[in-house]
Amino acid sequence: MTNSIGEIDHAELLLLVGTNTTEAHPIVGYKMRQAARKGAKLIVVDPRRIELAEEADYWLRIQPGTDIPLLNGLMHIIIKENLQNSTFIEERTENYAALKETVEKYTPDYVSRLTGVPEENLYAVARLYATTDKAMTFYTLGITEHVCGTNNVMSVANLAMLTGHLGRPGTGVNPIRGQNNVQGACDMGALPNVFPGYQRVIDPTAREKFEKAWGASLSGDMGLMIPEMFDKAHAGDLKAMYILGENPVLTDPNSNHIRSGLDKLEFLVVQELFLTETAEYADVILPAASFAETDGTFTNTERRVQRVRKAIEPLPGLANWQAIMDLSTKMGYPMNYRNPEEIFAEMASLTPSYAGISYARLENSSIQWPCPTSNHPGTPFLHAQAFTRGKGLFQAIEHIPPAEMPDQEYPFLLSTGRILYHYNVTTPYSAAIQSMWSEEYAEVNPEDAARLGVDYGDQVKVYSRRGELLTKIQVTDRVPPGVIWMSFHYKDSPTNAITSDAIDPITKTGEYKVCAVKVEKI
Amino acid sequence: METVKLTINGMAVEVPAGTTVLNAAEQAGINIPRLCHEPDLSPLGACRLCVVEIEGMRNLPASCVTAVSPNMLVHTHSPAVVEARQTILELLLANHPQDCLTCEKMGNCKLASYCYEYGVKQSAFPGDRHNYPVEDSNPFIVRDMNKCILCGKCVRACAEITGKNNLDYAYRGFNSKVTTFYDVPFVESDCVFCGNCVSVCPTGALTEKRIQGKARHFEFTKVKTTCPFCGTGCNFDLNVKDGKVMAVTTGPDNAVNGRALCIKGRFGWDFIYSDRRLTTPLIKRGDGFVQASWDEALDLIATRLQGIKDKYGGDSFAALSSARCTNEENYLLQKFTKVVMGTNNVDHCART
């Protein structure tokens, strides 16, 4: 997030695009609801009638996969009515002419037909967003999990730059990140193209720095992203994997492809809390320690570094950092950290944005990076004076429809997401939660349910071109006619056996939000 | 900032205009008892336990909803005030079960603490008592409305923190009750089981089901940590007894979330004690797994990975790190991959 969760309290407008916040990030959702009830304008863009849609001043129920036309359409109106922030555009951005030319053809009439949003709502939202001083935009996977995910994100950024809603408190482009430490895992360099702190592996200076610090020669080639790993495993080029705390069989798209990739590996290590669907493929399983059994830090969606503290001894005997350290030592590269604090200190010494953060400083507080020095207070919002590249670059972006749309054979559009009661693959192991929410209830619109002859609690078979599954259904107008919605928490209804394997070409993110399926009553 | 000067218990006090008498006293180091007041909830003035004497005022006003004014003379513990508080406590006790010995809240009950402080042993007002059935239709929260003192903190927590407005007062007079719409059990209501109501309840009316009969709050060691589920980064305290996590609690001061949590953070952590947790390394033999020691497992991994690296090169290896693990664990695994295996093939689910 460019800005902070606490700023929701004093924002005047919240624009939510593809984020079901009260379920996926409940505490952020609570704050949004509080702000809306205190008078902040709330605009929700979502095909589903999510909880916050009910409290929204404007709910734009777009057709799935039409975020770009919607955002271009809003920008079209803003420019036509001369509501753009010309000072911000002049001083802080470049390439505005290209943006202007591209959005020219996204007229309200055209956009309304593509998105299904009435023209008067397009006008109202465009005017409201552009003329409100403190407007925060939030998005999550509803924006990114499309073949055009990167372009969706850049369109959100275009809208914020066009109106100058960046670089001040109560504004910003704010992706609410999924997992507890997805921000931190990126910051730590658990990515194929960077060292810790986003220092690029292809940059010889960065590589030299880490070679010196780590006392080893390092590869300057970009590594593989997840989908490429499984493609290479299929092709027989990837022979071994070490999977720590992830369950791609359940969470990655087109799981049959993942399964056969894992099958082809010569050697697989999985370090996990449970015998997951992925762990079943392992040659060696290392039992993992949970968050309660280790010291460490997590970095949240607003770049806030916070302590994780060991409350109980590791159930498997070793904490995860100890196991990795021992393996490294056995392989001839001794690691001798006495505790996670020493690991953090080494990382911070090599990572400029964390350089000023230490366990001592985190003892009684938390710090938002960038925090370059030990007396720096941290950074609640980014881009106050300049963007990372200097000037913000407008991107002229055209509509890219989803890779697979419903047709005669597969007439329903399947979209997926999280529900409040579960978080990916750990909560199904919570006895209390599982006793209440133990199985999938796919959402089906009443019109479709009547046509299929199904009712609440009935079981249906859902097919896509990639697989099939069984699920119970609920009948609800949360989804529009023609759309089926499922979560991905249950191994008995493994949603990702049927989701699309189309990916965003840049991020390799799967298009979990749109694929074509057929539904049959059993 | 405009300030107001007043006198509390003979002490000169200066506070910002608009401050309540209760907060002004607190800033002066004087603790006024309160049952319905909570700093992160809107003021209500319902329980009347925080009454004080203010010279020139006819009645004893509730200090939590009375703003300071210039030259106010406040007495927080005058005989009239103490007598009023004792009477209020006696009235509350008149319809409150005195099963403190087995009450889940013992040691952490504000009603009991104030009865102790004000020497109220029993009620002078015998009369009707409620006899509500205890509601425990869900795995998280036990509702014993016989112990509810109608302070309304749960009503406000549900409305003002969670925003669900699932709880409110129903019925009139003696039958007044905090309950759900249509007075149905939590499972049949709109409850999202965030437990924020439990965290503010001053008595044994709302308690956690999981620790019933298993632990008293004063037995816990509290370890502040960060929630392992979504990216919001809520803080909470793991409550540990005898080396075991028993509960999660929150105070109002956490950086991101204050006291608020969702069902996952407050109640979903019990996955750590799932009987399906793996506790020893496992090595695949044939179609199944056999248990192994850490040394055996790590030796085997070291040998196999080294062999594969030597035969096919480092790029034949890839690691998936974890967005659920700590920074330190992620740092080590990417370092291991880059240094020991000699490849940049490390990724995690950041883009999915």
Side-chain angles (χ1 to χ4, degrees), chain B residues 62-78:
Chain B
S63 60
C64 70
V65 288
T66 304
V68 293
S69 60
N71 306 317
M72 231 181 202
L73 295 168
V74 180
H75 304 282
T76 65
H77 287 75
S78 67

PDB file of all heavy atoms in Angstrom, chain B residues 62-78:
ATOM      1  N   ALA B  62     -22.818  11.192  36.040  1.00  0.00           N
ATOM      2  CA  ALA B  62     -21.904  10.144  35.567  1.00  0.00           C
ATOM      3  C   ALA B  62     -20.682  10.823  34.946  1.00  0.00           C
ATOM      4  O   ALA B  62     -20.805  11.596  33.999  1.00  0.00           O
ATOM      5  CB  ALA B  62     -22.597   9.260  34.540  1.00  0.00           C
ATOM      6  N   SER B  63     -19.511  10.543  35.472  1.00  0.00           N
ATOM      7  CA  SER B  63     -18.318  11.293  35.052  1.00  0.00           C
ATOM      8  C   SER B  63     -17.883  10.939  33.634  1.00  0.00           C
ATOM      9  O   SER B  63     -17.178  11.707  32.990  1.00  0.00           O
ATOM     10  CB  SER B  63     -17.159  11.038  36.018  1.00  0.00           C
ATOM     11  OG  SER B  63     -16.828   9.670  36.042  1.00  0.00           O
ATOM     12  N   CYS B  64     -18.328   9.792  33.101  1.00  0.00           N
ATOM     13  CA  CYS B  64     -17.887   9.393  31.758  1.00  0.00           C
ATOM     14  C   CYS B  64     -18.593  10.190  30.670  1.00  0.00           C
ATOM     15  O   CYS B  64     -18.150  10.179  29.517  1.00  0.00           O
ATOM     16  CB  CYS B  64     -18.082   7.898  31.536  1.00  0.00           C
ATOM     17  SG  CYS B  64     -19.811   7.397  31.400  1.00  0.00           S
ATOM     18  N   VAL B  65     -19.708  10.841  31.007  1.00  0.00           N
ATOM     19  CA  VAL B  65     -20.434  11.616  30.003  1.00  0.00           C
ATOM     20  C   VAL B  65     -20.582  13.081  30.418  1.00  0.00           C
ATOM     21  O   VAL B  65     -21.386  13.822  29.868  1.00  0.00           O
ATOM     22  CB  VAL B  65     -21.835  11.016  29.709  1.00  0.00           C
ATOM     23  CG1 VAL B  65     -21.705   9.724  28.930  1.00  0.00           C
ATOM     24  CG2 VAL B  65     -22.625  10.798  30.991  1.00  0.00           C
ATOM     25  N   THR B  66     -19.806  13.498  31.423  1.00  0.00           N
ATOM     26  CA  THR B  66     -19.862  14.890  31.859  1.00  0.00           C
ATOM     27  C   THR B  66     -18.556  15.574  31.480  1.00  0.00           C
ATOM     28  O   THR B  66     -17.481  15.133  31.893  1.00  0.00           O
ATOM     29  CB  THR B  66     -20.057  14.965  33.391  1.00  0.00           C
ATOM     30  OG1 THR B  66     -21.230  14.230  33.730  1.00  0.00           O
ATOM     31  CG2 THR B  66     -20.203  16.400  33.854  1.00  0.00           C
ATOM     32  N   ALA B  67     -18.673  16.629  30.674  1.00  0.00           N
ATOM     33  CA  ALA B  67     -17.461  17.343  30.266  1.00  0.00           C
ATOM     34  C   ALA B  67     -17.016  18.285  31.383  1.00  0.00           C
ATOM     35  O   ALA B  67     -17.840  18.798  32.146  1.00  0.00           O
ATOM     36  CB  ALA B  67     -17.724  18.123  28.984  1.00  0.00           C
ATOM     37  N   VAL B  68     -15.716  18.505  31.466  1.00  0.00           N
ATOM     38  CA  VAL B  68     -15.199  19.445  32.468  1.00  0.00           C
ATOM     39  C   VAL B  68     -15.654  20.862  32.107  1.00  0.00           C
ATOM     40  O   VAL B  68     -15.879  21.178  30.944  1.00  0.00           O
ATOM     41  CB  VAL B  68     -13.660  19.413  32.539  1.00  0.00           C
ATOM     42  CG1 VAL B  68     -13.170  18.082  33.064  1.00  0.00           C
ATOM     43  CG2 VAL B  68     -13.039  19.723  31.174  1.00  0.00           C
ATOM     44  N   SER B  69     -15.802  21.702  33.153  1.00  0.00           N
ATOM     45  CA  SER B  69     -16.025  23.126  32.890  1.00  0.00           C
ATOM     46  C   SER B  69     -15.134  23.917  33.844  1.00  0.00           C
ATOM     47  O   SER B  69     -14.664  23.381  34.860  1.00  0.00           O
ATOM     48  CB  SER B  69     -17.499  23.485  33.035  1.00  0.00           C
ATOM     49  OG  SER B  69     -17.936  23.202  34.335  1.00  0.00           O
ATOM     50  N   PRO B  70     -14.873  25.166  33.527  1.00  0.00           N
ATOM     51  CA  PRO B  70     -13.910  25.932  34.315  1.00  0.00           C
ATOM     52  C   PRO B  70     -14.303  26.005  35.792  1.00  0.00           C
ATOM     53  O   PRO B  70     -15.472  26.195  36.121  1.00  0.00           O
ATOM     54  CB  PRO B  70     -13.950  27.326  33.667  1.00  0.00           C
ATOM     55  CG  PRO B  70     -14.461  27.082  32.280  1.00  0.00           C
ATOM     56  CD  PRO B  70     -15.397  25.928  32.386  1.00  0.00           C
ATOM     57  N   ASN B  71     -13.302  25.816  36.628  1.00  0.00           N
ATOM     58  CA  ASN B  71     -13.448  25.950  38.078  1.00  0.00           C
ATOM     59  C   ASN B  71     -14.366  24.923  38.717  1.00  0.00           C
ATOM     60  O   ASN B  71     -14.848  25.119  39.823  1.00  0.00           O
ATOM     61  CB  ASN B  71     -13.920  27.369  38.448  1.00  0.00           C
ATOM     62  CG  ASN B  71     -13.008  28.421  37.853  1.00  0.00           C
ATOM     63  OD1 ASN B  71     -11.783  28.256  37.888  1.00  0.00           O
ATOM     64  ND2 ASN B  71     -13.591  29.452  37.264  1.00  0.00           N
ATOM     65  N   MET B  72     -14.645  23.858  38.030  1.00  0.00           N
ATOM     66  CA  MET B  72     -15.425  22.758  38.605  1.00  0.00           C
ATOM     67  C   MET B  72     -14.732  22.248  39.862  1.00  0.00           C
ATOM     68  O   MET B  72     -13.512  22.145  39.902  1.00  0.00           O
ATOM     69  CB  MET B  72     -15.464  21.622  37.576  1.00  0.00           C
ATOM     70  CG  MET B  72     -16.807  21.077  37.264  1.00  0.00           C
ATOM     71  SD  MET B  72     -16.583  19.746  36.047  1.00  0.00           S
ATOM     72  CE  MET B  72     -18.215  19.745  35.366  1.00  0.00           C
ATOM     73  N   LEU B  73     -15.544  21.908  40.871  1.00  0.00           N
ATOM     74  CA  LEU B  73     -14.988  21.276  42.076  1.00  0.00           C
ATOM     75  C   LEU B  73     -15.550  19.858  42.136  1.00  0.00           C
ATOM     76  O   LEU B  73     -16.734  19.664  42.367  1.00  0.00           O
ATOM     77  CB  LEU B  73     -15.389  22.068  43.327  1.00  0.00           C
ATOM     78  CG  LEU B  73     -14.818  23.499  43.409  1.00  0.00           C
ATOM     79  CD1 LEU B  73     -15.510  24.281  44.518  1.00  0.00           C
ATOM     80  CD2 LEU B  73     -13.310  23.454  43.653  1.00  0.00           C
ATOM     81  N   VAL B  74     -14.679  18.883  41.908  1.00  0.00           N
ATOM     82  CA  VAL B  74     -15.132  17.497  41.777  1.00  0.00           C
ATOM     83  C   VAL B  74     -14.639  16.678  42.959  1.00  0.00           C
ATOM     84  O   VAL B  74     -13.499  16.817  43.391  1.00  0.00           O
ATOM     85  CB  VAL B  74     -14.584  16.882  40.465  1.00  0.00           C
ATOM     86  CG1 VAL B  74     -15.042  15.438  40.314  1.00  0.00           C
ATOM     87  CG2 VAL B  74     -14.998  17.708  39.265  1.00  0.00           C
ATOM     88  N   HIS B  75     -15.528  15.822  43.470  1.00  0.00           N
ATOM     89  CA  HIS B  75     -15.128  14.854  44.499  1.00  0.00           C
ATOM     90  C   HIS B  75     -15.437  13.474  43.974  1.00  0.00           C
ATOM     91  O   HIS B  75     -16.590  13.153  43.700  1.00  0.00           O
ATOM     92  CB  HIS B  75     -15.888  15.113  45.801  1.00  0.00           C
ATOM     93  CG  HIS B  75     -15.699  16.511  46.302  1.00  0.00           C
ATOM     94  ND1 HIS B  75     -14.564  16.932  46.951  1.00  0.00           N
ATOM     95  CD2 HIS B  75     -16.509  17.599  46.201  1.00  0.00           C
ATOM     96  CE1 HIS B  75     -14.662  18.227  47.243  1.00  0.00           C
ATOM     97  NE2 HIS B  75     -15.843  18.657  46.798  1.00  0.00           N
ATOM     98  N   THR B  76     -14.418  12.664  43.818  1.00  0.00           N
ATOM     99  CA  THR B  76     -14.632  11.355  43.181  1.00  0.00           C
ATOM    100  C   THR B  76     -14.928  10.256  44.191  1.00  0.00           C
ATOM    101  O   THR B  76     -15.401   9.187  43.813  1.00  0.00           O
ATOM    102  CB  THR B  76     -13.397  10.929  42.361  1.00  0.00           C
ATOM    103  OG1 THR B  76     -12.302  10.732  43.268  1.00  0.00           O
ATOM    104  CG2 THR B  76     -13.034  11.969  41.320  1.00  0.00           C
ATOM    105  N   HIS B  77     -14.596  10.485  45.444  1.00  0.00           N
ATOM    106  CA  HIS B  77     -14.799   9.417  46.429  1.00  0.00           C
ATOM    107  C   HIS B  77     -15.386   9.976  47.734  1.00  0.00           C
ATOM    108  O   HIS B  77     -15.051   9.512  48.814  1.00  0.00           O
ATOM    109  CB  HIS B  77     -13.486   8.679  46.703  1.00  0.00           C
ATOM    110  CG  HIS B  77     -13.065   7.787  45.571  1.00  0.00           C
ATOM    111  ND1 HIS B  77     -12.530   8.270  44.386  1.00  0.00           N
ATOM    112  CD2 HIS B  77     -13.132   6.431  45.412  1.00  0.00           C
ATOM    113  CE1 HIS B  77     -12.261   7.257  43.562  1.00  0.00           C
ATOM    114  NE2 HIS B  77     -12.625   6.137  44.161  1.00  0.00           N
ATOM    115  N   SER B  78     -16.275  10.943  47.624  1.00  0.00           N
ATOM    116  CA  SER B  78     -16.912  11.504  48.817  1.00  0.00           C
ATOM    117  C   SER B  78     -17.881  10.477  49.397  1.00  0.00           C
ATOM    118  O   SER B  78     -18.279   9.538  48.708  1.00  0.00           O
ATOM    119  CB  SER B  78     -17.664  12.791  48.451  1.00  0.00           C
ATOM    120  OG  SER B  78     -18.745  12.474  47.605  1.00  0.00           O
TER     121      SER B  78
END
